[in-house]
Amino acid sequence: MKIPGHPVSEGVAKAELLVSPEPITFYGGVDPLTSKVTEPGHPLYGEVLKDRILVFPHSKGSTVGSYIILRLARRGIAPAGIVTLKPDEVVIVGCVIGGVPSMTGISEEAFNTLRTGDKAELRVDRNYAELLVEEL
Amino acid sequence: MYLDPEEEKMLDGEYGEAIAMAMKTVLRVAEALKAERLVRVKNAHISGISYKNIGDEGLQFLEELAAKGGRVSVPSSMNPAGLDLAQWRNMGVDKGYFEKQMRIINALAALGIKPTLTCTPYLYEDISYGDHLAWSESNAVLYANSIIGARSNRDGGPLALFEAIVGRAPLAGLHVESNRRPELVIDFTSVSKEVEEQNMYSVAGLLVGALTGNRVPLVRGLKLSKERLDYIKLFLAAVGATGGTGLVLIEGTSPENYPASGVDTIKVDFKMLRETLDNYSGADEGAIVLGCPHLSLDEIMDIISRLPENGTATRKIFLYTSREVYEALSAYMPRLREKNVYVFADTCMVVSPLNIYAGKEVITDSGKAAFYLKAQGYKVKLVSRQKAIEMAFT
C-alpha cells in the first residue's frame, strides 16, 4: 500500500510503525534522554520512539517541543521517521532542524488503516512524499 | 506558494547553509498554514533561551548555526534566561549550569540577537500599528497585536529565530486582517466594578484565556485604559497562559475596531471570577514574587512608593525586571535590601530556580506566574499587587 503526503523534511526511513490515535506532546511528554513517552494515561505511555516510524494526528503543548525532537535526533534516539495527519509548527520545525524524515497531510482513511508493528518505508524529497506499507 | 527571486536564492543556498535551513523551515510552516506568500517582518523576539529546556543539543545547534554564518536580518531581542547574569550565585545556580546558559546567550548574540533578556520587548522596541513582527513569548505577542495593532503570530522560539534570519514570516494567521476579527464576545459589564475595585485583572485574563481557547475574543466591559499598563500587562499575560490566542480585542482600548456580529456572547458573572481565583488560594506563608511580565521602571517606582516609610517586610519580596530598568534603579538597591526587597534582572520567577531561593510557597499578583508555578508543583496564592505588599508588612 502506498500512502501519499506532503513533504516536511527530506530523507528515507525503513522501520516498523508506532501509531498513536492521540496527539503527542513532546515537551513534558517525551523524555529527551531515553525517547520514552512519559505522559501518564497516553496510549503510547512507556513506548520508545527510537527506530520506529511514529504516526500520530498532530502535536500539542509547548513549542519547546521542537527542541525536544532536535535533542532526540542529536542523541540518535529520534523516531526513524514521523508521519502526521495534520501539519503543525512544532513538528515541522523539530523535524527540519533535527533532520528527521517527515511527511504530513495523509488522509484520515489512510491513517485509520495503519497499525503499530506494520513494516513500512518513508520516502520524502523536496517535492514528493510517500509511505510504503508492506502488505501482509 | 509564491517565492520572489531573492527568497528562491535563499532556499537554494546561495547565501549559505544557515539561511537555506531557515528559509526551508519557514517555507514548510508557510505551506502548512496555506500561506500564498511570505511577508517581510520589521522586528523579531526570540524565546527558548533556557538551558534547562533546550539542553546541550539545543546549545550545540545554536552554536553551529552561528558558526555557519547565521545572522538575523531585522532588529531582534531575547526572552529571559534561567538566571540573573550578575546575581546567579544568590539564586542557587551551579557554575556548570551558568556556563552553559551563557554559551546559549553568546550563541544567540553571535546570531545578532540583542541580549535584552526581557519578556516585555514592547516597552523597548520600535514597533507601531500595522507592523509585521516575528515574535514568540505569548504575553509579548498579545500586547503587540492587541494594544499596538502590530501583527504577529504566536510563534515558537526556533521559528521566530528562522523568521528573523530570513526577515520574513508566512503571510497567514494574525498577519492577515480577515483573521483578526472577533470570533466571540466575552462581556464583563455586570462585574466591571468588582474587577476594577478589587484589581482582578489577572483573574479576568485567566478566565478569558480559558473561555476563548484559540479564538480571537472581543472583550467588553473591562476598564483597561492605556494609563494603566500594569493592569493591561497582567491581564494579557494571564490570557496567554490559559489560552492559545495571540490577539484579544479589548473594547475601548485596542486600536482595531471590527463589528462583532453573528458571534456568540459569554456573559461573565462574579461566580466565574471567584471559581477561577479559587484555583490559586494556597500559600499564606510564602515569599512575594512580582514581575510576570517584567516590571517597567514606572511600576517599580510605584511599588517603592507604596512601601511603608518605616519597618522591614516580614517576608521576602522579589521583583523581576529587565537589566535596563535594574540599572536605572541602582541608587535604590541598598534601601530596598534593607526592607527585605530583592530585585532580579534577566530572569523571572517562572524560569529561575525559585524553589531554591524562595521556597515552594509563593504569593503573586500575576495570573500567568500563578498558572505556571502551580503546574510546577508550587503552592500559589493570587492577590492584587497592593494586597501582596500589605501582606509583607503585617
Side-chain angles (χ1 to χ4, degrees), chain B residues 150-377:
Chain B
R151 297 178 177 193
S152 179
N153 280 327
R154 198 173 148 160
D155 292 331
L159 180 60
L161 171 59
F162 292 136
E163 290 169 345
I165 289 173
V166 299
R168 293 156 169 86
L171 182 61
L174 294 175
H175 288 288
V176 179
E177 191 186 299
S178 58
N179 295 329
R180 299 175 67 89
R181 294 166 186 261
E183 295 168 275
L184 83 162
V185 174
I186 301 177
D187 191 346
F188 285 85
T189 306
S190 74
V191 292
S192 182
K193 207 166 150 236
E194 286 89 342
V195 172
E196 190 185 12
E197 286 174 1
Q198 299 177 40
N199 283 342
M200 294 179 83
Y201 292 101
S202 280
V203 183
L206 290 169
L207 184 57
V208 167
L211 292 171
T212 207
N214 290 317
R215 295 173 293 179
V216 174
L218 176 75
V219 169
R220 181 168 286 157
L222 276 189
K223 288 178 190 152
L224 279 166
S225 113
K226 285 189 195 173
E227 310 297 304
R228 292 307 303 255
L229 279 191
D230 49 347
Y231 294 161
I232 288 177
K233 285 166 64 200
L234 288 171
F235 171 72
L236 290 176
V239 174
T242 52
T245 185
L247 170 62
V248 176
L249 297 161
I250 306 168
E251 204 169 65
T253 307
S254 293
E256 287 165 284
N257 284 302
Y258 303 112
S261 48
V263 301
D264 292 343
T265 295
I266 300 174
K267 286 190 189 305
V268 173
D269 59 31
F270 198 74
K271 188 164 163 271
M272 294 161 83
L273 289 169
R274 192 74 242 172
E275 283 171 0
T276 303
L277 182 59
D278 284 346
N279 289 321
Y280 307 99
S281 53
D284 276 321
E285 295 306 319
I288 308 237
V289 291
L290 308 176
C292 171
H294 269 174
L295 297 164
S296 68
L297 184 57
D298 285 350
E299 286 178 274
I300 295 196
M301 293 311 291
D302 175 60
I303 289 169
I304 290 173
S305 76
R306 292 196 234 172
L307 301 176
E309 194 69 35
N310 300 307
T312 300
T314 53
R315 57 179 98 208
K316 285 185 173 165
I317 302 178
F318 295 100
L319 308 179
Y320 302 86
T321 188
S322 68
R323 178 64 49 191
E324 185 175 317
V325 168
Y326 182 91
E327 278 166 12
L329 284 165
S330 57
Y332 291 89
M333 292 304 168
R335 185 171 157 246
L336 287 174
R337 275 193 289 270
E338 260 171 41
K339 290 208 162 292
N340 215 10
V341 179
Y342 304 87
V343 186
F344 284 128
D346 316 317
T347 189
C348 72
M349 66 289 254
V350 177
V351 298
S352 65
L354 182 65
N355 59 320
I356 296 177
Y357 63 85
K360 287 290 270 183
E361 296 188 16
V362 289
I363 295 154
T364 185
D365 65 342
S366 164
K368 177 177 179 172
F371 177 85
Y372 283 110
L373 290 174
K374 191 180 174 191
Q376 291 175 25

Side-chain angles (χ1 to χ4, degrees), chain A residues 8 27 71 74-75 89 126, chain B residues 11 28 53 57 64 156:
Chain A
V8 170
Y27 179 64
R71 296 183 70 176
R74 296 227 160 181
R75 290 176 165 268
E89 182 203 303
R126 186 162 156 187
Chain B
L11 187 63
R28 291 297 192 213
N53 285 343
E57 299 80 12
E64 285 163 16

Side-chain angles (χ1 to χ4, degrees), chain B residues 10-213:
Chain B
M10 289 180 178
L11 187 63
D12 291 339
E14 287 194 31
Y15 301 110
E17 209 184 322
I19 289 177
M21 176 192 249
M23 185 49 110
K24 188 166 98 177
T25 313
V26 172
L27 194 60
R28 291 297 192 213
V29 173
E31 285 165 355
L33 298 172
K34 299 194 168 30
E36 285 175 13
R37 63 180 179 87
L38 306 180
V39 63
R40 282 174 186 269
V41 295
K42 189 188 176 195
N43 188 289
H45 180 73
I46 318 298
S47 65
I49 313 294
S50 166
Y51 172 64
K52 195 174 93 188
N53 285 343
I54 74 172
D56 287 323
E57 299 80 12
L59 160 61
Q60 283 158 12
F61 167 75
L62 293 172
E63 286 182 340
E64 285 163 16
L65 198 61
K68 283 175 190 162
R71 186 96 192 149
V72 297
S73 60
V74 296
S76 304
S77 51
M78 257 182 240
N79 225 32
L83 43 76
D84 181 309
L85 266 49
Q87 302 179 82
W88 58 275
R89 285 184 185 81
N90 303 338
M91 299 185 122
V93 179
D94 73 54
K95 191 145 187 288
Y97 182 98
F98 167 75
E99 283 166 357
K100 293 282 177 67
Q101 181 65 75
M102 287 311 295
R103 277 173 63 189
I104 291 172
I105 293 167
N106 291 339
L108 290 165
L111 289 162
I113 301 155
K114 292 175 284 181
T116 52
L117 303 173
T118 179
C119 58
T120 56
Y122 44 84
L123 298 178
Y124 309 99
E125 298 296 313
D126 174 25
I127 59 162
S128 45
Y129 184 88
D131 288 344
H132 291 275
L133 313 174
W135 279 18
S136 44
E137 168 49 44
S138 61
N139 104 82
V141 172
L142 278 157
Y143 191 100
N145 280 313
S146 313
I147 306 302
I148 297 171
R151 297 178 177 193
S152 179
N153 280 327
R154 198 173 148 160
D155 292 331
L159 180 60
L161 171 59
F162 292 136
E163 290 169 345
I165 289 173
V166 299
R168 293 156 169 86
L171 182 61
L174 294 175
H175 288 288
V176 179
E177 191 186 299
S178 58
N179 295 329
R180 299 175 67 89
R181 294 166 186 261
E183 295 168 275
L184 83 162
V185 174
I186 301 177
D187 191 346
F188 285 85
T189 306
S190 74
V191 292
S192 182
K193 207 166 150 236
E194 286 89 342
V195 172
E196 190 185 12
E197 286 174 1
Q198 299 177 40
N199 283 342
M200 294 179 83
Y201 292 101
S202 280
V203 183
L206 290 169
L207 184 57
V208 167
L211 292 171
T212 207

Side-chain angles (χ1 to χ4, degrees), chain A residues 28-49:
Chain A
V30 176
D31 181 352
L33 307 183
T34 61
S35 93
K36 255 191 198 166
V37 177
T38 54
E39 184 182 338
H42 194 278
L44 296 192
Y45 180 80
E47 293 278 0
V48 168
L49 305 184

